[in-house]
Amino acid sequence: MMNQPVQSPQFFLTAPSPCPYLEGQFERKVFTHLVGDKAADLNDLLTQGGFRRSQNIAYRPACESCRACISVRILAGEYKPNRSMKRILVRNKDVVATEFPAEPSSEQYSLFRGYLDARHQEGGMSDMTVLDYAMMVEDTHVPTRIIEYRLAGDSIGKDDDGRGRLIAVALSDLMGDGLSMVYSFFDPDYSDRSLGSYMILDHIRRAQDRGLPHVYLGYWVNGSRKMDYKTRFLPQEHLMAGGWERFEG
């Protein structure tokens, strides 16, 4: 690991590899390390510039012939749920969300494993072990939280502490200007609840409660249908060549 000041991070470029989102395309990434006592400041600065965090690495696409990946952030202070989003909130009114320090658990990993097996069997994370999951959660030098979403009053799926069944988890960074959703997953048996969208709605509320203007969603990949959900939370901003631009759909 490298201890580097926020003023002069060192950047590296990956070799080309097949794009996981667009067939026939190849991706490259530029990345730097997020370590040391300036990691949080650097993470804020880079996230605002279109980077994403994975463990102690910040990265962004640097593809030679494609610009399909666009950084997206929701304008949380202006957001008002539309009719379909209100239905999702009502559908999940029995869900209790609790925020914790970034610490993994075997219960989380079991949910994570089931999510990968059902949704991402061919993905790059498909062979992650319990140790890999623990590293994904714990290997951070920035303020990071785990949010667990449980069913209230679920008498069948309660854990040893009497809490309801765990149905979704979000790993998120707390930044100076918002919340950045690093990774989230849910129980595929509850797909009718639209838990992915519900977690975003919950993050918008959390940002509003903290007086933070943004919720960062990572990349919307233009041309990838599985990324279209990210453009449903309006108003939002997209990072373009000239900076952040308002997007109304």
Side-chain angles (χ1 to χ4, degrees):
M1 295 186 179
M2 302 167 61
N3 190 356
Q4 46 194 341
V6 67
Q7 295 87 353
S8 57
Q10 293 183 304
F11 291 91
F12 308 89
L13 188 64
T14 65
S17 61
C19 176
Y21 300 107
L22 300 177
E23 187 175 354
Q25 295 287 350
F26 286 82
E27 68 170 1
R28 300 189 77 178
K29 295 175 182 175
V30 60
F31 69 94
T32 189
H33 295 85
L34 292 171
V35 295
D37 57 3
K38 298 295 185 181
D41 293 337
L42 180 58
N43 185 54
D44 278 23
L45 181 66
L46 292 177
T47 302
Q48 292 160 7
F51 280 71
R52 294 288 285 163
R53 184 183 71 81
S54 177
Q55 295 178 225
N56 63 5
I57 296 292
Y59 68 91
R60 68 169 297 171
C63 307
E64 296 174 357
S65 59
C66 179
R67 296 295 182 268
C69 293
I70 298 173
S71 293
V72 174
R73 67 185 185 187
I74 301 168
L75 296 173
E78 300 181 42
Y79 180 80
K80 290 180 172 53
N82 59 23
R83 185 176 300 176
S84 65
M85 294 302 172
K86 287 179 180 178
R87 286 197 294 266
I88 292 173
L89 289 170
V90 170
R91 199 178 305 147
N92 292 285
K93 63 182 180 180
D94 59 341
V95 173
V96 176
T98 308
E99 186 174 316
F100 299 98
E103 297 176 357
S105 71
S106 58
E107 188 182 21
Q108 292 169 14
Y109 177 72
S110 179
L111 182 67
F112 175 70
R113 188 70 263 162
Y115 173 78
L116 292 182
D117 291 343
R119 295 293 187 101
H120 300 285
Q121 290 183 355
E122 306 299 326
M125 304 173 74
S126 61
D127 59 350
M128 285 182 64
T129 66
V130 65
L131 180 59
D132 295 327
Y133 174 75
M135 290 293 290
M136 181 178 78
V137 174
E138 292 180 326
D139 194 4
T140 175
H141 290 251
V142 307
T144 304
R145 301 291 185 267
I146 278 277
I147 304 174
E148 293 186 346
Y149 299 83
R150 296 179 178 273
L151 291 180
D154 180 8
S155 60
I156 298 176
K158 285 185 178 180
D159 65 5
D160 294 339
D161 295 325
R163 300 176 300 179
R165 183 192 303 269
L166 182 67
I167 61 171
V169 172
L171 180 68
S172 303
D173 289 342
L174 177 59
M175 299 170 45
D177 73 329
L179 301 176
S180 177
M181 298 186 69
V182 177
Y183 195 76
S184 60
F185 52 95
F186 55 85
D187 188 333
D189 290 341
Y190 292 86
S191 58
D192 60 325
R193 287 176 171 263
S194 302
L195 289 168
S197 293
Y198 176 70
M199 285 189 279
I200 295 174
L201 292 169
D202 181 64
H203 276 70
I204 294 172
R205 178 192 63 78
R206 290 173 184 274
Q208 292 171 342
D209 289 348
R210 285 180 163 104
L212 298 172
H214 304 123
V215 173
Y216 289 84
L217 296 184
Y219 302 116
W220 167 57
V221 183
N222 192 3
S224 174
R225 290 183 60 187
K226 62 184 177 180
M227 287 291 185
D228 284 347
Y229 74 92
K230 294 188 178 184
T231 60
R232 296 174 189 157
F233 299 86
L234 302 173
Q236 60 183 229
E237 292 180 328
H238 292 182
L239 184 57
M240 311 304 288
W244 290 98
E245 297 181 5
R246 191 179 182 91
F247 178 82
E248 298 280 3

